[in-house]
Amino acid sequence: MSQKILVVEDDEATAAFITRGLDEHGFTVDRADNGRDGLFLATGGDYDALVLDRMLPQMDGMALLAALRAADIQTPVIILSALGTPDDRVDGLEAGSDDYLVKPFAFAELLARLKLAIRKAGSNGSKAVTQLSCGDLEMDLLSRKVKRGGESVELQPREFRLLEFLLRHSGQVVTRTMLLEGVWDFHFDPGTNVIDVHISRLRKKIDEGHDQALLHTVRGAGYRLGLPD
């Protein structure tokens, strides 16, 4: 299973540069372009590491980091910032980051620091999540098998990725923007019904023939995977 990285960066060019590089090295990448969405994803997903811009709209990186550590989420965090004085670096490290990289930076250095932070976290007893579930719906990330009520569910690769994203945010409302960025890697709405089509297909595969539906449409907001309230 590929390691999963969350990139919280509002600059499109920088985010694309990082995402492309990580993707080429076999990582799975989610991205948020503001601190509020970044915090939502970071608290709801199981990430191996976060790449966090310090200056972000809606919630700055330092506040996001403080919120994560206050919630006892110890995911490794590498701060990216144009602020590079010794005091700035110390502030970032004391806030709970695992490393601090000054912009502009070489991707090779970011990659090396990411791998080191993930390796250190693993040696401290972190255990990668290999199974996700919601009710009687189960996903094995290693074998890439899905079962509902003990029966196999055959999914296409994009359907699998969509269900994985929903399972990682089980019980939460997931917006179309989050799905576009997290599953299709679109950072804009292309104006198609691609999400609706895949949600419809996925709903048939996991809910049809079962007494309780798990995949719900939240009118005007998005979708939620979970047992009925």
Side-chain angles (χ1 to χ4, degrees), residues 7-11 14 18 32-36 50-66 77-97 99-103 105:
V7 176
V8 189
E9 168 64 67
D10 64 320
D11 181 76
T14 302
I18 296 171
D33 60 7
N34 65 77
R36 186 183 62 187
L50 271 65
V51 177
L52 178 63
D53 186 22
R54 181 166 176 168
M55 293 181 286
L56 293 165
Q58 300 188 30
M59 172 186 279
D60 68 51
M62 297 288 275
L64 191 161
L65 178 57
V77 174
I78 295 181
I79 289 180
L80 299 179
S81 180
L83 304 175
T85 70
D87 286 345
D88 292 325
R89 293 170 183 262
V90 169
D91 287 345
L93 294 170
E94 288 187 343
S97 72
D99 210 336
Y100 193 105
L101 193 56
V102 178
K103 297 178 179 180
F105 58 89

mmCIF file of all heavy atoms in Angstrom, residues 7-11 14 18 32-36 50-66 77-97 99-103 105:
data_model
loop_
_atom_site.group_PDB
_atom_site.id
_atom_site.type_symbol
_atom_site.label_atom_id
_atom_site.label_comp_id
_atom_site.label_asym_id
_atom_site.label_seq_id
_atom_site.Cartn_x
_atom_site.Cartn_y
_atom_site.Cartn_z
ATOM 1 N N VAL A 7 -1.024 17.376 1.564
ATOM 2 C CA VAL A 7 -0.331 18.623 1.254
ATOM 3 C C VAL A 7 -1.307 19.773 1.475
ATOM 4 O O VAL A 7 -2.354 19.841 0.831
ATOM 5 C CB VAL A 7 0.182 18.633 -0.201
ATOM 6 C CG1 VAL A 7 0.813 19.982 -0.536
ATOM 7 C CG2 VAL A 7 1.179 17.501 -0.424
ATOM 8 N N VAL A 8 -0.988 20.656 2.415
ATOM 9 C CA VAL A 8 -1.829 21.826 2.687
ATOM 10 C C VAL A 8 -1.051 23.047 2.219
ATOM 11 O O VAL A 8 -0.136 23.516 2.895
ATOM 12 C CB VAL A 8 -2.182 21.934 4.186
ATOM 13 C CG1 VAL A 8 -3.225 23.031 4.393
ATOM 14 C CG2 VAL A 8 -2.705 20.613 4.720
ATOM 15 N N GLU A 9 -1.401 23.537 1.046
ATOM 16 C CA GLU A 9 -0.643 24.594 0.374
ATOM 17 C C GLU A 9 -1.588 25.383 -0.518
ATOM 18 O O GLU A 9 -2.303 24.797 -1.338
ATOM 19 C CB GLU A 9 0.494 23.974 -0.449
ATOM 20 C CG GLU A 9 1.188 24.901 -1.411
ATOM 21 C CD GLU A 9 1.924 26.034 -0.730
ATOM 22 O OE1 GLU A 9 2.921 25.760 -0.027
ATOM 23 O OE2 GLU A 9 1.488 27.195 -0.908
ATOM 24 N N ASP A 10 -1.618 26.708 -0.355
ATOM 25 C CA ASP A 10 -2.558 27.512 -1.134
ATOM 26 C C ASP A 10 -1.997 27.983 -2.472
ATOM 27 O O ASP A 10 -2.757 28.413 -3.342
ATOM 28 C CB ASP A 10 -3.050 28.712 -0.320
ATOM 29 C CG ASP A 10 -1.926 29.683 0.027
ATOM 30 O OD1 ASP A 10 -0.820 29.202 0.351
ATOM 31 O OD2 ASP A 10 -2.148 30.902 -0.006
ATOM 32 N N ASP A 11 -0.693 27.913 -2.648
ATOM 33 C CA ASP A 11 -0.108 28.328 -3.924
ATOM 34 C C ASP A 11 -0.229 27.176 -4.925
ATOM 35 O O ASP A 11 0.327 26.092 -4.709
ATOM 36 C CB ASP A 11 1.366 28.709 -3.736
ATOM 37 C CG ASP A 11 1.990 29.174 -5.034
ATOM 38 O OD1 ASP A 11 1.725 30.314 -5.443
ATOM 39 O OD2 ASP A 11 2.732 28.377 -5.643
ATOM 40 N N THR A 14 3.147 25.696 -6.396
ATOM 41 C CA THR A 14 3.905 24.920 -5.410
ATOM 42 C C THR A 14 3.215 23.606 -5.104
ATOM 43 O O THR A 14 3.862 22.547 -5.029
ATOM 44 C CB THR A 14 4.072 25.727 -4.111
ATOM 45 O OG1 THR A 14 4.734 26.963 -4.393
ATOM 46 C CG2 THR A 14 4.885 24.952 -3.090
ATOM 47 N N ILE A 18 4.756 19.815 -5.764
ATOM 48 C CA ILE A 18 4.906 18.804 -4.710
ATOM 49 C C ILE A 18 4.090 17.558 -5.036
ATOM 50 O O ILE A 18 4.580 16.424 -4.930
ATOM 51 C CB ILE A 18 4.475 19.380 -3.353
ATOM 52 C CG1 ILE A 18 5.395 20.531 -2.947
ATOM 53 C CG2 ILE A 18 4.497 18.291 -2.275
ATOM 54 C CD1 ILE A 18 4.913 21.293 -1.718
ATOM 55 N N ALA A 32 -5.250 20.195 0.268
ATOM 56 C CA ALA A 32 -6.166 21.246 0.688
ATOM 57 C C ALA A 32 -5.484 22.573 0.413
ATOM 58 O O ALA A 32 -4.261 22.696 0.544
ATOM 59 C CB ALA A 32 -6.510 21.119 2.167
ATOM 60 N N ASP A 33 -6.284 23.595 0.031
ATOM 61 C CA ASP A 33 -5.683 24.891 -0.295
ATOM 62 C C ASP A 33 -5.975 25.952 0.759
ATOM 63 O O ASP A 33 -5.747 27.133 0.540
ATOM 64 C CB ASP A 33 -6.122 25.373 -1.673
ATOM 65 C CG ASP A 33 -7.634 25.547 -1.780
ATOM 66 O OD1 ASP A 33 -8.329 25.417 -0.758
ATOM 67 O OD2 ASP A 33 -8.108 25.807 -2.906
ATOM 68 N N ASN A 34 -6.485 25.530 1.913
ATOM 69 C CA ASN A 34 -6.661 26.459 3.029
ATOM 70 C C ASN A 34 -6.572 25.688 4.340
ATOM 71 O O ASN A 34 -6.718 24.457 4.365
ATOM 72 C CB ASN A 34 -7.992 27.220 2.923
ATOM 73 C CG ASN A 34 -9.200 26.312 3.040
ATOM 74 O OD1 ASN A 34 -9.558 25.879 4.130
ATOM 75 N ND2 ASN A 34 -9.841 26.008 1.910
ATOM 76 N N GLY A 35 -6.334 26.401 5.428
ATOM 77 C CA GLY A 35 -6.116 25.738 6.699
ATOM 78 C C GLY A 35 -7.329 25.023 7.248
ATOM 79 O O GLY A 35 -7.209 23.956 7.866
ATOM 80 N N ARG A 36 -8.509 25.577 7.028
ATOM 81 C CA ARG A 36 -9.722 24.960 7.567
ATOM 82 C C ARG A 36 -9.957 23.583 6.953
ATOM 83 O O ARG A 36 -10.198 22.603 7.668
ATOM 84 C CB ARG A 36 -10.928 25.862 7.321
ATOM 85 C CG ARG A 36 -12.222 25.354 7.976
ATOM 86 C CD ARG A 36 -13.392 26.253 7.625
ATOM 87 N NE ARG A 36 -13.623 26.257 6.177
ATOM 88 C CZ ARG A 36 -14.477 27.047 5.560
ATOM 89 N NH1 ARG A 36 -15.162 27.944 6.243
ATOM 90 N NH2 ARG A 36 -14.642 26.977 4.243
ATOM 91 N N LEU A 50 2.212 15.044 6.840
ATOM 92 C CA LEU A 50 1.620 16.266 6.300
ATOM 93 C C LEU A 50 2.727 17.198 5.836
ATOM 94 O O LEU A 50 3.748 17.344 6.517
ATOM 95 C CB LEU A 50 0.803 17.006 7.360
ATOM 96 C CG LEU A 50 -0.678 16.657 7.539
ATOM 97 C CD1 LEU A 50 -0.823 15.222 8.040
ATOM 98 C CD2 LEU A 50 -1.318 17.622 8.512
ATOM 99 N N VAL A 51 2.528 17.813 4.681
ATOM 100 C CA VAL A 51 3.373 18.906 4.225
ATOM 101 C C VAL A 51 2.525 20.159 4.373
ATOM 102 O O VAL A 51 1.497 20.300 3.711
ATOM 103 C CB VAL A 51 3.813 18.704 2.763
ATOM 104 C CG1 VAL A 51 4.635 19.902 2.296
ATOM 105 C CG2 VAL A 51 4.622 17.415 2.623
ATOM 106 N N LEU A 52 2.950 21.070 5.239
ATOM 107 C CA LEU A 52 2.086 22.160 5.686
ATOM 108 C C LEU A 52 2.710 23.526 5.444
ATOM 109 O O LEU A 52 3.765 23.842 6.000
ATOM 110 C CB LEU A 52 1.805 21.978 7.187
ATOM 111 C CG LEU A 52 0.964 23.028 7.901
ATOM 112 C CD1 LEU A 52 -0.440 23.079 7.331
ATOM 113 C CD2 LEU A 52 0.924 22.722 9.398
ATOM 114 N N ASP A 53 2.059 24.314 4.590
ATOM 115 C CA ASP A 53 2.488 25.692 4.393
ATOM 116 C C ASP A 53 2.194 26.481 5.675
ATOM 117 O O ASP A 53 1.168 26.277 6.317
ATOM 118 C CB ASP A 53 1.736 26.296 3.208
ATOM 119 C CG ASP A 53 2.228 27.693 2.854
ATOM 120 O OD1 ASP A 53 3.373 28.028 3.206
ATOM 121 O OD2 ASP A 53 1.459 28.448 2.245
ATOM 122 N N ARG A 54 3.089 27.390 6.020
ATOM 123 C CA ARG A 54 2.888 28.140 7.262
ATOM 124 C C ARG A 54 1.838 29.234 7.114
ATOM 125 O O ARG A 54 1.039 29.466 8.020
ATOM 126 C CB ARG A 54 4.228 28.744 7.712
ATOM 127 C CG ARG A 54 4.109 29.530 9.006
ATOM 128 C CD ARG A 54 5.458 29.817 9.613
ATOM 129 N NE ARG A 54 5.338 30.650 10.802
ATOM 130 C CZ ARG A 54 6.322 30.881 11.664
ATOM 131 N NH1 ARG A 54 7.505 30.328 11.466
ATOM 132 N NH2 ARG A 54 6.143 31.645 12.712
ATOM 133 N N MET A 55 1.823 29.906 5.981
ATOM 134 C CA MET A 55 0.883 31.013 5.780
ATOM 135 C C MET A 55 -0.240 30.558 4.857
ATOM 136 O O MET A 55 -0.039 30.388 3.657
ATOM 137 C CB MET A 55 1.613 32.226 5.209
ATOM 138 C CG MET A 55 2.611 32.826 6.195
ATOM 139 S SD MET A 55 3.493 34.277 5.575
ATOM 140 C CE MET A 55 4.634 33.503 4.421
ATOM 141 N N LEU A 56 -1.433 30.368 5.434
ATOM 142 C CA LEU A 56 -2.582 29.844 4.710
ATOM 143 C C LEU A 56 -3.813 30.714 4.946
ATOM 144 O O LEU A 56 -3.922 31.341 6.003
ATOM 145 C CB LEU A 56 -2.913 28.422 5.201
ATOM 146 C CG LEU A 56 -1.914 27.312 4.898
ATOM 147 C CD1 LEU A 56 -2.212 26.105 5.762
ATOM 148 C CD2 LEU A 56 -1.962 26.938 3.422
ATOM 149 N N PRO A 57 -4.741 30.757 4.001
ATOM 150 C CA PRO A 57 -6.010 31.454 4.247
ATOM 151 C C PRO A 57 -6.895 30.649 5.193
ATOM 152 O O PRO A 57 -6.752 29.433 5.303
ATOM 153 C CB PRO A 57 -6.635 31.539 2.851
ATOM 154 C CG PRO A 57 -6.029 30.409 2.083
ATOM 155 C CD PRO A 57 -4.642 30.238 2.627
ATOM 156 N N GLN A 58 -7.790 31.343 5.877
ATOM 157 C CA GLN A 58 -8.814 30.789 6.763
ATOM 158 C C GLN A 58 -8.262 30.260 8.087
ATOM 159 O O GLN A 58 -8.892 30.442 9.124
ATOM 160 C CB GLN A 58 -9.647 29.710 6.054
ATOM 161 C CG GLN A 58 -10.366 30.247 4.822
ATOM 162 C CD GLN A 58 -11.333 29.251 4.227
ATOM 163 O OE1 GLN A 58 -11.907 28.426 4.922
ATOM 164 N NE2 GLN A 58 -11.510 29.327 2.911
ATOM 165 N N MET A 59 -7.129 29.589 8.067
ATOM 166 C CA MET A 59 -6.451 29.170 9.300
ATOM 167 C C MET A 59 -4.982 28.981 8.963
ATOM 168 O O MET A 59 -4.654 28.227 8.051
ATOM 169 C CB MET A 59 -7.037 27.863 9.839
ATOM 170 C CG MET A 59 -6.238 27.278 11.014
ATOM 171 S SD MET A 59 -6.825 25.649 11.551
ATOM 172 C CE MET A 59 -8.220 26.139 12.564
ATOM 173 N N ASP A 60 -4.093 29.693 9.661
ATOM 174 C CA ASP A 60 -2.680 29.570 9.291
ATOM 175 C C ASP A 60 -2.109 28.236 9.743
ATOM 176 O O ASP A 60 -2.687 27.525 10.580
ATOM 177 C CB ASP A 60 -1.861 30.746 9.821
ATOM 178 C CG ASP A 60 -1.738 30.759 11.333
ATOM 179 O OD1 ASP A 60 -1.368 29.737 11.928
ATOM 180 O OD2 ASP A 60 -2.000 31.824 11.926
ATOM 181 N N GLY A 61 -0.961 27.898 9.175
ATOM 182 C CA GLY A 61 -0.367 26.601 9.421
ATOM 183 C C GLY A 61 -0.023 26.344 10.873
ATOM 184 O O GLY A 61 -0.160 25.221 11.367
ATOM 185 N N MET A 62 0.423 27.365 11.573
ATOM 186 C CA MET A 62 0.788 27.186 12.980
ATOM 187 C C MET A 62 -0.446 26.859 13.822
ATOM 188 O O MET A 62 -0.395 26.014 14.721
ATOM 189 C CB MET A 62 1.476 28.443 13.492
ATOM 190 C CG MET A 62 2.780 28.764 12.787
ATOM 191 S SD MET A 62 4.118 27.640 13.212
ATOM 192 C CE MET A 62 4.703 28.445 14.709
ATOM 193 N N ALA A 63 -1.571 27.521 13.517
ATOM 194 C CA ALA A 63 -2.812 27.236 14.248
ATOM 195 C C ALA A 63 -3.310 25.833 13.927
ATOM 196 O O ALA A 63 -3.807 25.123 14.818
ATOM 197 C CB ALA A 63 -3.873 28.274 13.898
ATOM 198 N N LEU A 64 -3.184 25.430 12.659
ATOM 199 C CA LEU A 64 -3.584 24.076 12.274
ATOM 200 C C LEU A 64 -2.751 23.045 13.024
ATOM 201 O O LEU A 64 -3.281 22.071 13.569
ATOM 202 C CB LEU A 64 -3.414 23.913 10.756
ATOM 203 C CG LEU A 64 -4.017 22.676 10.091
ATOM 204 C CD1 LEU A 64 -4.167 22.915 8.584
ATOM 205 C CD2 LEU A 64 -3.160 21.429 10.302
ATOM 206 N N LEU A 65 -1.451 23.258 13.057
ATOM 207 C CA LEU A 65 -0.549 22.342 13.748
ATOM 208 C C LEU A 65 -0.877 22.268 15.237
ATOM 209 O O LEU A 65 -0.920 21.179 15.828
ATOM 210 C CB LEU A 65 0.899 22.785 13.540
ATOM 211 C CG LEU A 65 1.978 21.967 14.244
ATOM 212 C CD1 LEU A 65 1.912 20.500 13.838
ATOM 213 C CD2 LEU A 65 3.358 22.545 13.928
ATOM 214 N N ALA A 66 -1.133 23.411 15.847
ATOM 215 C CA ALA A 66 -1.475 23.440 17.270
ATOM 216 C C ALA A 66 -2.750 22.644 17.538
ATOM 217 O O ALA A 66 -2.855 21.920 18.532
ATOM 218 C CB ALA A 66 -1.635 24.876 17.748
ATOM 219 N N VAL A 77 4.736 16.167 10.643
ATOM 220 C CA VAL A 77 4.426 17.394 9.910
ATOM 221 C C VAL A 77 5.715 18.093 9.500
ATOM 222 O O VAL A 77 6.596 18.313 10.343
ATOM 223 C CB VAL A 77 3.575 18.357 10.757
ATOM 224 C CG1 VAL A 77 3.399 19.699 10.027
ATOM 225 C CG2 VAL A 77 2.209 17.746 11.067
ATOM 226 N N ILE A 78 5.817 18.420 8.222
ATOM 227 C CA ILE A 78 6.926 19.237 7.736
ATOM 228 C C ILE A 78 6.348 20.579 7.309
ATOM 229 O O ILE A 78 5.469 20.646 6.453
ATOM 230 C CB ILE A 78 7.650 18.567 6.554
ATOM 231 C CG1 ILE A 78 8.329 17.277 7.016
ATOM 232 C CG2 ILE A 78 8.674 19.522 5.943
ATOM 233 C CD1 ILE A 78 9.090 16.553 5.931
ATOM 234 N N ILE A 79 6.822 21.638 7.943
ATOM 235 C CA ILE A 79 6.356 22.981 7.618
ATOM 236 C C ILE A 79 7.152 23.530 6.439
ATOM 237 O O ILE A 79 8.383 23.403 6.387
ATOM 238 C CB ILE A 79 6.496 23.918 8.828
ATOM 239 C CG1 ILE A 79 5.462 23.560 9.904
ATOM 240 C CG2 ILE A 79 6.312 25.376 8.419
ATOM 241 C CD1 ILE A 79 5.538 24.444 11.139
ATOM 242 N N LEU A 80 6.455 24.136 5.500
ATOM 243 C CA LEU A 80 7.083 24.885 4.414
ATOM 244 C C LEU A 80 6.813 26.364 4.660
ATOM 245 O O LEU A 80 5.692 26.741 4.991
ATOM 246 C CB LEU A 80 6.490 24.499 3.064
ATOM 247 C CG LEU A 80 6.633 23.049 2.606
ATOM 248 C CD1 LEU A 80 5.953 22.883 1.252
ATOM 249 C CD2 LEU A 80 8.087 22.642 2.523
ATOM 250 N N SER A 81 7.828 27.197 4.499
ATOM 251 C CA SER A 81 7.613 28.617 4.740
ATOM 252 C C SER A 81 8.678 29.462 4.066
ATOM 253 O O SER A 81 9.833 29.048 3.922
ATOM 254 C CB SER A 81 7.610 28.908 6.248
ATOM 255 O OG SER A 81 7.401 30.285 6.494
ATOM 256 N N ALA A 82 8.258 30.656 3.663
ATOM 257 C CA ALA A 82 9.220 31.645 3.170
ATOM 258 C C ALA A 82 9.909 32.336 4.341
ATOM 259 O O ALA A 82 10.884 33.064 4.141
ATOM 260 C CB ALA A 82 8.496 32.666 2.298
ATOM 261 N N LEU A 83 9.389 32.146 5.551
ATOM 262 C CA LEU A 83 9.994 32.715 6.755
ATOM 263 C C LEU A 83 11.103 31.796 7.224
ATOM 264 O O LEU A 83 10.840 30.678 7.677
ATOM 265 C CB LEU A 83 8.922 32.874 7.855
ATOM 266 C CG LEU A 83 7.689 33.700 7.476
ATOM 267 C CD1 LEU A 83 6.671 33.680 8.607
ATOM 268 C CD2 LEU A 83 8.089 35.130 7.139
ATOM 269 N N GLY A 84 12.336 32.263 7.098
ATOM 270 C CA GLY A 84 13.439 31.345 7.320
ATOM 271 C C GLY A 84 14.476 31.777 8.339
ATOM 272 O O GLY A 84 15.585 31.235 8.350
ATOM 273 N N THR A 85 14.161 32.728 9.209
ATOM 274 C CA THR A 85 15.127 33.118 10.241
ATOM 275 C C THR A 85 15.229 32.005 11.280
ATOM 276 O O THR A 85 14.322 31.172 11.402
ATOM 277 C CB THR A 85 14.703 34.421 10.936
ATOM 278 O OG1 THR A 85 13.537 34.160 11.738
ATOM 279 C CG2 THR A 85 14.396 35.511 9.920
ATOM 280 N N PRO A 86 16.308 31.970 12.053
ATOM 281 C CA PRO A 86 16.412 30.968 13.124
ATOM 282 C C PRO A 86 15.219 31.001 14.073
ATOM 283 O O PRO A 86 14.733 29.938 14.488
ATOM 284 C CB PRO A 86 17.707 31.374 13.831
ATOM 285 C CG PRO A 86 18.529 31.997 12.752
ATOM 286 C CD PRO A 86 17.549 32.749 11.911
ATOM 287 N N ASP A 87 14.726 32.182 14.400
ATOM 288 C CA ASP A 87 13.569 32.271 15.298
ATOM 289 C C ASP A 87 12.327 31.645 14.665
ATOM 290 O O ASP A 87 11.529 30.992 15.348
ATOM 291 C CB ASP A 87 13.278 33.733 15.659
ATOM 292 C CG ASP A 87 14.282 34.296 16.652
ATOM 293 O OD1 ASP A 87 15.008 33.491 17.276
ATOM 294 O OD2 ASP A 87 14.333 35.535 16.786
ATOM 295 N N ASP A 88 12.150 31.856 13.351
ATOM 296 C CA ASP A 88 11.008 31.260 12.656
ATOM 297 C C ASP A 88 11.080 29.734 12.703
ATOM 298 O O ASP A 88 10.081 29.053 12.968
ATOM 299 C CB ASP A 88 10.968 31.705 11.192
ATOM 300 C CG ASP A 88 10.654 33.183 11.041
ATOM 301 O OD1 ASP A 88 9.860 33.711 11.843
ATOM 302 O OD2 ASP A 88 11.216 33.814 10.116
ATOM 303 N N ARG A 89 12.266 29.213 12.474
ATOM 304 C CA ARG A 89 12.446 27.757 12.506
ATOM 305 C C ARG A 89 12.166 27.205 13.905
ATOM 306 O O ARG A 89 11.499 26.182 14.068
ATOM 307 C CB ARG A 89 13.869 27.383 12.083
ATOM 308 C CG ARG A 89 14.195 27.692 10.621
ATOM 309 C CD ARG A 89 15.686 27.527 10.370
ATOM 310 N NE ARG A 89 16.087 27.876 9.023
ATOM 311 C CZ ARG A 89 16.283 27.009 8.037
ATOM 312 N NH1 ARG A 89 16.084 25.725 8.264
ATOM 313 N NH2 ARG A 89 16.661 27.414 6.844
ATOM 314 N N VAL A 90 12.679 27.885 14.901
ATOM 315 C CA VAL A 90 12.464 27.449 16.284
ATOM 316 C C VAL A 90 10.984 27.474 16.627
ATOM 317 O O VAL A 90 10.455 26.541 17.247
ATOM 318 C CB VAL A 90 13.263 28.337 17.265
ATOM 319 C CG1 VAL A 90 12.833 28.061 18.705
ATOM 320 C CG2 VAL A 90 14.755 28.074 17.109
ATOM 321 N N ASP A 91 10.292 28.527 16.207
ATOM 322 C CA ASP A 91 8.855 28.620 16.474
ATOM 323 C C ASP A 91 8.114 27.435 15.868
ATOM 324 O O ASP A 91 7.225 26.848 16.499
ATOM 325 C CB ASP A 91 8.286 29.918 15.893
ATOM 326 C CG ASP A 91 8.700 31.151 16.693
ATOM 327 O OD1 ASP A 91 9.174 30.978 17.832
ATOM 328 O OD2 ASP A 91 8.554 32.268 16.151
ATOM 329 N N GLY A 92 8.470 27.082 14.639
ATOM 330 C CA GLY A 92 7.804 25.964 13.973
ATOM 331 C C GLY A 92 8.066 24.642 14.657
ATOM 332 O O GLY A 92 7.153 23.828 14.847
ATOM 333 N N LEU A 93 9.306 24.417 15.053
ATOM 334 C CA LEU A 93 9.647 23.161 15.714
ATOM 335 C C LEU A 93 9.025 23.072 17.105
ATOM 336 O O LEU A 93 8.526 22.016 17.515
ATOM 337 C CB LEU A 93 11.170 23.016 15.795
ATOM 338 C CG LEU A 93 11.879 22.868 14.440
ATOM 339 C CD1 LEU A 93 13.391 22.970 14.610
ATOM 340 C CD2 LEU A 93 11.513 21.534 13.789
ATOM 341 N N GLU A 94 9.015 24.185 17.816
ATOM 342 C CA GLU A 94 8.432 24.179 19.156
ATOM 343 C C GLU A 94 6.910 24.043 19.105
ATOM 344 O O GLU A 94 6.295 23.596 20.076
ATOM 345 C CB GLU A 94 8.825 25.450 19.912
ATOM 346 C CG GLU A 94 10.293 25.474 20.325
ATOM 347 C CD GLU A 94 10.636 26.655 21.213
ATOM 348 O OE1 GLU A 94 9.844 27.621 21.242
ATOM 349 O OE2 GLU A 94 11.699 26.613 21.870
ATOM 350 N N ALA A 95 6.310 24.412 17.985
ATOM 351 C CA ALA A 95 4.863 24.263 17.837
ATOM 352 C C ALA A 95 4.454 22.809 17.608
ATOM 353 O O ALA A 95 3.277 22.465 17.684
ATOM 354 C CB ALA A 95 4.356 25.119 16.679
ATOM 355 N N GLY A 96 5.449 21.965 17.325
ATOM 356 C CA GLY A 96 5.167 20.541 17.166
ATOM 357 C C GLY A 96 5.469 19.960 15.813
ATOM 358 O O GLY A 96 5.147 18.798 15.542
ATOM 359 N N SER A 97 6.103 20.738 14.938
ATOM 360 C CA SER A 97 6.459 20.177 13.632
ATOM 361 C C SER A 97 7.669 19.262 13.782
ATOM 362 O O SER A 97 8.456 19.379 14.719
ATOM 363 C CB SER A 97 6.765 21.283 12.621
ATOM 364 O OG SER A 97 7.999 21.909 12.914
ATOM 365 N N ASP A 99 9.823 18.902 11.167
ATOM 366 C CA ASP A 99 10.893 19.499 10.371
ATOM 367 C C ASP A 99 10.378 20.818 9.817
ATOM 368 O O ASP A 99 9.178 21.089 9.837
ATOM 369 C CB ASP A 99 11.308 18.561 9.231
ATOM 370 C CG ASP A 99 12.773 18.722 8.837
ATOM 371 O OD1 ASP A 99 13.331 19.820 9.083
ATOM 372 O OD2 ASP A 99 13.347 17.770 8.290
ATOM 373 N N TYR A 100 11.304 21.621 9.325
ATOM 374 C CA TYR A 100 10.964 22.963 8.834
ATOM 375 C C TYR A 100 11.826 23.231 7.619
ATOM 376 O O TYR A 100 13.055 23.189 7.690
ATOM 377 C CB TYR A 100 11.257 23.983 9.936
ATOM 378 C CG TYR A 100 10.681 25.367 9.713
ATOM 379 C CD1 TYR A 100 9.571 25.796 10.426
ATOM 380 C CD2 TYR A 100 11.259 26.267 8.815
ATOM 381 C CE1 TYR A 100 9.043 27.073 10.268
ATOM 382 C CE2 TYR A 100 10.744 27.543 8.631
ATOM 383 C CZ TYR A 100 9.636 27.943 9.367
ATOM 384 O OH TYR A 100 9.120 29.201 9.202
ATOM 385 N N LEU A 101 11.170 23.442 6.471
ATOM 386 C CA LEU A 101 11.886 23.628 5.216
ATOM 387 C C LEU A 101 11.544 24.999 4.647
ATOM 388 O O LEU A 101 10.373 25.363 4.535
ATOM 389 C CB LEU A 101 11.474 22.531 4.232
ATOM 390 C CG LEU A 101 12.306 22.350 2.963
ATOM 391 C CD1 LEU A 101 13.771 22.106 3.292
ATOM 392 C CD2 LEU A 101 11.742 21.176 2.152
ATOM 393 N N VAL A 102 12.582 25.754 4.309
ATOM 394 C CA VAL A 102 12.393 27.134 3.841
ATOM 395 C C VAL A 102 12.231 27.154 2.323
ATOM 396 O O VAL A 102 12.960 26.481 1.591
ATOM 397 C CB VAL A 102 13.594 28.011 4.263
ATOM 398 C CG1 VAL A 102 13.424 29.440 3.739
ATOM 399 C CG2 VAL A 102 13.726 28.021 5.786
ATOM 400 N N LYS A 103 11.251 27.931 1.855
ATOM 401 C CA LYS A 103 11.060 28.155 0.420
ATOM 402 C C LYS A 103 12.064 29.185 -0.089
ATOM 403 O O LYS A 103 12.363 30.136 0.637
ATOM 404 C CB LYS A 103 9.643 28.664 0.151
ATOM 405 C CG LYS A 103 8.528 27.715 0.524
ATOM 406 C CD LYS A 103 7.179 28.375 0.258
ATOM 407 C CE LYS A 103 6.019 27.470 0.600
ATOM 408 N NZ LYS A 103 4.713 28.113 0.335
ATOM 409 N N PHE A 105 12.716 25.553 -2.189
ATOM 410 C CA PHE A 105 13.361 24.321 -1.746
ATOM 411 C C PHE A 105 13.501 23.370 -2.931
ATOM 412 O O PHE A 105 12.797 23.486 -3.939
ATOM 413 C CB PHE A 105 12.542 23.653 -0.637
ATOM 414 C CG PHE A 105 11.136 23.322 -1.055
ATOM 415 C CD1 PHE A 105 10.828 22.103 -1.641
ATOM 416 C CD2 PHE A 105 10.112 24.246 -0.898
ATOM 417 C CE1 PHE A 105 9.538 21.800 -2.046
ATOM 418 C CE2 PHE A 105 8.812 23.963 -1.300
ATOM 419 C CZ PHE A 105 8.529 22.733 -1.889
#
